[in-house]
Amino acid sequence: MTRIDFLERLKPLLFPKFYSIKDTQGNELIFLHDASQQVSLGCEKIDKTQTEAFYNHIHFWERIKSSEKEKIRVFGTEIAYNLLEKLTLRYKNKKFVVYLDVNSEGAIIRFHQIWKDEMPYYDCTLFPNITEFKNTN
């Protein structure tokens, strides 16, 4: 991957833009704008958490050496806080969770809204390499 490719991969996380789509029940789902994809919801009832988490993830680092893991986790934490702050500012009445997953295969940032009638995407007690950040205060 070239340095330009790396910056392009980070761009939606560092300078996030969002859009929303309503499902058939009138729920507003929030998506990270990424030029490579545009979400289209069908007519049936959907799992809101799964849908948002599936589309709202970016692999921002690949093949992490053990000597790099902590630095990438610190960097990813800053990205996660930035993303959560931008979501909170844009959607003041919504609650979100942002996940940072750092392991030897790579690093991923993922987010979804906290829906009161659905389970979170991850149970982080089962995945020690995943850290969650929430705006639930």
Side-chain angles (χ1 to χ4, degrees):
M1 174 186 321
T2 69
R3 290 181 289 181
I4 295 300
D5 292 338
F6 177 67
L7 291 173
E8 284 294 324
R9 184 177 289 188
L10 283 178
K11 187 178 176 182
L13 292 171
L14 297 176
F15 310 105
K17 294 181 179 158
F18 309 101
Y19 65 98
S20 65
I21 299 176
K22 289 193 176 184
D23 68 4
T24 57
Q25 271 58 50
N27 299 299
E28 182 182 28
L29 282 77
I30 308 302
F31 298 101
L32 185 62
H33 186 279
D34 180 356
S36 67
Q37 65 182 10
Q38 184 73 19
V39 177
S40 176
L41 302 178
C43 298
E44 60 278 343
K45 185 176 179 182
I46 60 167
D47 182 318
K48 300 176 291 291
T49 299
Q50 294 289 324
T51 301
E52 286 182 330
F54 176 79
Y55 286 105
N56 292 323
H57 81 281
I58 292 184
H59 298 251
F60 70 93
W61 204 280
E62 296 174 0
R63 296 180 298 281
I64 298 174
K65 299 175 189 170
S66 58
S67 62
E68 300 172 326
K69 195 177 281 188
E70 189 53 36
K71 286 183 180 180
I72 292 170
R73 183 173 300 285
V74 169
F75 181 68
T77 297
E78 293 298 320
I79 292 172
Y81 276 125
N82 179 64
L83 183 59
L84 185 59
E85 180 182 19
K86 300 295 185 196
L87 284 162
T88 303
L89 287 171
R90 174 84 187 268
Y91 302 100
K92 293 177 179 24
N93 296 325
K94 296 185 181 295
K95 301 297 179 194
F96 295 92
V97 60
V98 176
Y99 300 102
L100 170 63
D101 181 358
V102 179
N103 59 61
S104 60
E105 294 177 21
I108 302 168
I109 296 277
R110 177 185 311 271
F111 77 88
H112 64 80
Q113 289 182 71
I114 299 172
W115 298 97
K116 64 181 174 181
D117 58 337
E118 293 184 1
M119 298 295 294
Y121 189 74
Y122 289 118
D123 177 351
C124 290
T125 62
L126 302 175
F127 300 98
N129 56 303
I130 299 175
T131 307
E132 67 179 12
F133 308 86
K134 297 179 181 179
N135 68 334
T136 57
N137 301 352

